Amino acid sequence: MNKAVKFIQLLIFILLLVSYILGAESFYIAPSIEYKKVTSDSLVYHITSINQFDPLLDIETVVTNTKLSDILKEKSYDIIINANFFDPNSKEPVGLVVKNYELLHLPIKRGVFGITSDNKAIIDIFNINIKLKIDNTIIPINNLNSPRGVDQITIFTKFFGKETKILDNAVAGVDIEVSLDNRIPSLGTTSGKITNIYYGVKKSIIKDNSCIISLGGTALKYLPFFSLDKKIDIIVESNPPIMLKEAVCGGPILIKNGEIVFDKTGEIPFTSNIINSRHPRTVAGITDDKIFFIVIEGRNNNSLGLSIPETCELVKNMGIRDAINLDGGGSSQKIIWGNLINQVSERNVPVGIGVKNNYPYKNPTYLSFKEKDDIYIRKGEKLKLELLLQDENYHPYSITYTMLTWTIANNNINFNPSKLEIEGRELGESSLTIYLSNLEASKKIYVWDYVALKIEIDKDKVYLGDSVFPKIYSIDNFQREKILSLDGLKFDPNYFRRNGKGLTAINTGITTLSYTFDNLSVTYTIEIIPNIIEDFEEDKKWNIRGKNYNPDSTFYKLTSDAYTGKSSFMLVYDSKEENSFIYVDLNISIPPDKTSLSIALKGQGNGWIRLLFYDEDGTPWVMDLTTTLQYNFNKWTTINKDLTEIRPLISINKYTPKIPLRLASIYLVGLNNKISGNLLIDSLNFK
């Protein structure tokens, strides 16, 4: 099975879990910004959809040396999410950073989420370089706002620190201070004038409206071109040649034009852990008119997190055209109105994306519960509710709980107004209505508990040797079903053997499966019906014959090493020379309604293992159980064959046998080789 199929199967598993929704918050943050939180048994994710062409919204790159939430003290963003990967020690971001048209950090070959000069969102890979022009001389720049290397020229502006930096293996050089006419653009040219030259320094202070050009090692060959008051042009070139207003770097790109491309973009690769393990994720996505910021929770009891392939499937199924993964794990975070909503604690990250609702403030208009759907609360449990008071442009207002009044439809819930908390008392339906002045918010509340368990089997009849795959469900008083783990399923080992996620019937008779969960129990009576044509439970004096085999060292016996039942047939064989055949005559008539067979084999040896049949006309037919001269079944292996796979033993003008068939023998063939081995046979079954 290829990796893609495995990932899709994992996703289907997750989507099945999502189908049992425990709750979904939904509210507006601005007239064109909607937030949704989706919660299931094993996955929680937060979706913010934004109209990218709304002129009253700001979507900006956020740069900080502390927590993203600290930015709220300077500018009241309604939403902030994390963006670039970064060095955990230096906090230097990885890849491209552009803020308000200003280039802050150069890209690497990884995907970029950006906003263009015409406010259009874009996801692509950018190649941007900087060069200086002094008189008619062009000087290439190695880096921007990264520590200068040994033989490099690096430009520093003030965004990621107040002074220049060099790598540990670099030495003192020359720092050239340039007073800028304008900021360094994401595409285009700005100019400046040299105001100071600092010789033999490892660091220099970066002044406002200035930059430092730091030269070291062999790059000092360019020093003669620099002199006080000299004019300098700083030229930024980009491929694709698009002016970016805002930009952050992530990777890998997940979706392009609606198709999954995460392993086809040529980006600098990520580790297997980042790609294939389940982690919290932050994703930026685009449709023709919307931007999506999706934060997926992980590493907690409520949410498994997702791998990159699973994230691709989830995002694609949302109808998103282009999407990119941003930094994840402990850095993955979404802050709404100053509240971190997806992590227990906030990590310091250097770069994020902020969204601001610039619609005018009005008087409060809406009182609502953040929980979009009806509330289901388990009996005996408590749940803290969240109210939202907003104006017509969805700006939030604080609520004083002492000003609230309320009514409850039924007595099956308790309500604590000081904590805005409900408790499920008795099973059943209720509703809670909360009033604030002339505003009100109502919510239906259902108190539930598990009241029954159910075991389902995928087959109406269970035959000896069959595998069954039970499903266990818990059922609540509203008839909602939740699938449970099979780990707690109990069965009689005399009748069933565990086989992965299934059970294999090993003896006939009536037995029970049982399951206990949450003080509830269920049993399922099941009958195992004989359907094995030959199970080798008694010695039927089978005949061994053949050609060029050694009768002194070829024999059979019944052994207790059995696949089902108490014994199996063991054939020990050896040939004298090449071109040998060893037959075990079975002479089993096959009922005409049978279309397939299965047989259990174990052992090691050489020789093709085949079956010999005769039809009603006496024509011989054969079927291969193995296709190589050697076999090695180190454990019991069930071989399943369709009876349409048999072929004529000799060349005849006949394509299908005349039913009924008779299985004459199981035999081993060695054409150009001597053969020998120990072969165990059990549970010959026709279906």
Side-chain angles (χ1 to χ4, degrees), residues 480-604:
R480 299 184 304 164
E481 295 182 350
K482 173 185 176 182
I483 193 166
L484 301 175
S485 166
L486 288 179
D487 292 344
L489 181 65
K490 298 186 183 303
F491 58 90
D492 188 337
N494 292 314
Y495 290 93
F496 284 106
R497 177 191 297 123
R498 177 78 74 174
N499 180 16
K501 294 183 179 180
L503 302 174
T504 299
I506 59 174
N507 271 313
T508 60
I510 298 175
T511 185
T512 58
L513 307 178
S514 63
Y515 199 96
T516 300
F517 171 76
D518 204 48
N519 296 321
L520 297 171
S521 296
V522 63
T523 59
Y524 186 96
T525 301
I526 188 168
E527 183 178 6
I528 304 172
I529 304 169
N531 190 41
I532 293 181
I533 302 297
E534 181 56 71
D535 202 22
F536 304 100
E537 293 298 295
E538 58 178 297
D539 191 344
K540 296 182 179 179
K541 308 302 179 183
W542 292 280
N543 181 50
I544 296 179
R545 59 186 176 86
K547 174 185 175 183
N548 295 332
Y549 76 101
N550 189 344
D552 295 331
S553 56
T554 301
F555 60 92
Y556 79 84
K557 66 178 180 178
L558 297 186
T559 174
S560 60
D561 184 358
Y563 180 68
T564 59
K566 298 179 181 178
S567 65
S568 69
F569 180 97
M570 174 186 281
L571 175 65
V572 180
Y573 63 94
D574 178 51
S575 68
K576 295 179 178 179
E577 54 188 275
E578 298 174 355
N579 194 28
S580 55
F581 297 81
I582 301 173
Y583 294 85
V584 177
D585 291 331
L586 298 174
N587 292 315
I588 295 173
S589 296
I590 303 170
D593 62 333
K594 304 303 181 184
T595 60
S596 63
L597 70 85
S598 65
I599 189 169
L601 302 178
K602 184 179 179 182
Q604 297 83 32

Side-chain angles (χ1 to χ4, degrees), residues 120-227:
K120 183 178 180 180
I122 186 173
I123 292 174
D124 210 335
I125 297 174
F126 282 79
N127 180 21
I128 296 177
N129 62 77
I130 306 175
K131 57 188 179 182
L132 303 179
K133 183 178 180 183
I134 305 176
D135 297 327
N136 292 317
T137 301
I138 300 296
I139 300 173
I141 296 298
N142 300 106
N143 255 319
L144 173 66
N145 290 323
S146 292
R148 173 177 59 76
V150 176
D151 299 313
Q152 290 185 340
I153 305 179
T154 298
I155 296 179
F156 292 92
T157 59
K158 206 170 182 178
F159 260 99
F160 294 107
K162 297 179 180 180
E163 57 187 19
T164 63
K165 298 177 182 178
I166 62 174
L167 295 176
D168 290 341
N169 62 342
V171 297
V174 176
D175 284 357
I176 299 163
E177 181 182 271
V178 177
S179 175
L180 295 173
D181 296 342
N182 213 326
R183 297 169 294 183
I184 298 175
S186 61
L187 176 64
T189 302
T190 189
S191 300
K193 185 175 68 172
I194 297 175
T195 53
N196 274 302
I197 300 178
Y198 306 102
Y199 296 92
V201 294
K202 290 186 175 182
K203 60 183 178 180
S204 300
I205 301 297
I206 308 167
K207 297 178 181 178
D208 292 337
N209 304 314
S210 296
C211 72
I212 297 289
I213 302 171
S214 182
L215 292 77
T218 57
L220 289 169
K221 66 183 179 182
Y222 294 109
L223 185 57
F225 295 101
F226 296 89
S227 60

Side-chain angles (χ1 to χ4, degrees), residues 34-86:
E34 184 178 10
Y35 163 79
K36 291 182 181 180
K37 174 185 177 182
V38 180
T39 304
S40 75
D41 282 351
S42 302
L43 193 66
V44 178
Y45 53 102
H46 307 261
I47 308 168
T48 306
S49 60
I50 303 166
N51 186 338
Q52 63 172 307
F53 300 112
D54 188 337
L56 291 177
L57 298 182
D58 287 336
I59 303 175
E60 301 175 348
T61 301
V62 174
V63 178
T64 176
N65 291 320
T66 57
K67 296 178 179 179
L68 291 175
S69 59
D70 290 342
I71 296 294
L72 293 170
K73 299 172 184 176
E74 302 174 17
K75 183 166 184 177
S76 298
Y77 291 106
D78 293 272
I79 308 165
I80 305 177
I81 65 164
N82 67 294
N84 294 54
F85 292 83
F86 59 92

Side-chain angles (χ1 to χ4, degrees), residues 230-242:
K230 176 71 74 173
K231 180 187 174 183
I232 292 179
D233 290 329
I234 301 176
I235 303 168
V236 179
E237 299 172 329
S238 175
N239 184 24
I242 296 173

Side-chain angles (χ1 to χ4, degrees), residues 75-130:
K75 183 166 184 177
S76 298
Y77 291 106
D78 293 272
I79 308 165
I80 305 177
I81 65 164
N82 67 294
N84 294 54
F85 292 83
F86 59 92
D87 184 304
N89 297 315
S90 67
K91 302 299 181 185
E92 180 186 352
V94 173
L96 184 63
V97 182
V98 175
K99 179 176 175 60
N100 194 21
Y101 297 104
E102 183 175 0
L103 182 62
L104 304 182
H105 204 266
L106 288 176
I108 60 173
K109 194 175 182 182
R110 281 190 180 157
V112 167
F113 170 82
I115 304 293
T116 65
S117 56
D118 56 356
N119 285 323
K120 183 178 180 180
I122 186 173
I123 292 174
D124 210 335
I125 297 174
F126 282 79
N127 180 21
I128 296 177
N129 62 77
I130 306 175

